[in-house]
């Protein structure tokens, strides 16, 4: 059951990061989940573990990490579209 919560919370964090930045995450729902999970890892590495914890995610670092990841991925995708 915790794995399902892990996917749900990762998807929500990735989706919120995309909504705040106003940029698309490639891959739809799967992209949101991946952005949330990898963003949580990035946020944990950069900011440590603080704030409320839900299903192995520290919410604030995970959210900030997901925003960073969405920004970088959208920037790379935009530059790849321009060069094509």
């Amino acid at each position: 059951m915790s794995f399902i919560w892990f996917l749900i919370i990762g998807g929500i964090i990735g989706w919120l990061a995309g909504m705040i930045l106003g940029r698309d995450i490639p891959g739809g729902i799967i992209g949101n989940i991946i952005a949330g999970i990898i963003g949580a890892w990035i946020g944990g590495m950069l900011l440590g573990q603080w704030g409320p914890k839900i299903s192995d995610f520290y919410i604030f670092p995970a959210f900030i990490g997901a925003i960073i990841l969405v920004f970088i991925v959208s920037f790379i995708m935009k530059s790849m579209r321009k060069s094509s």
Side-chain angles (χ1 to χ4, degrees), residues 13-14 17-18 21 35-36 38-40 42-43 61-71:
I13 289 172
L21 288 176
I38 294 174
I42 290 171
F63 187 63
I64 293 169
I67 288 174
I68 292 168
L69 180 69
V70 169
F71 180 76

Side-chain angles (χ1 to χ4, degrees), residues 12-75:
I12 291 171
I13 289 172
W15 174 72
L16 285 174
M19 293 291 290
I20 286 180
L21 288 176
R23 299 176 186 239
D24 291 331
I25 300 172
I29 293 173
I30 302 297
N32 286 340
I33 292 171
I34 292 170
I37 292 170
I38 294 174
W41 179 74
I42 290 171
M45 297 299 274
L46 294 176
L47 302 171
Q49 300 175 344
W50 55 275
K53 181 179 177 182
I54 299 175
S55 181
D56 295 335
F57 286 107
Y58 288 91
I59 299 301
F60 298 125
F63 187 63
I64 293 169
I67 288 174
I68 292 168
L69 180 69
V70 169
F71 180 76
I72 290 171
V73 168
S74 65
F75 181 76

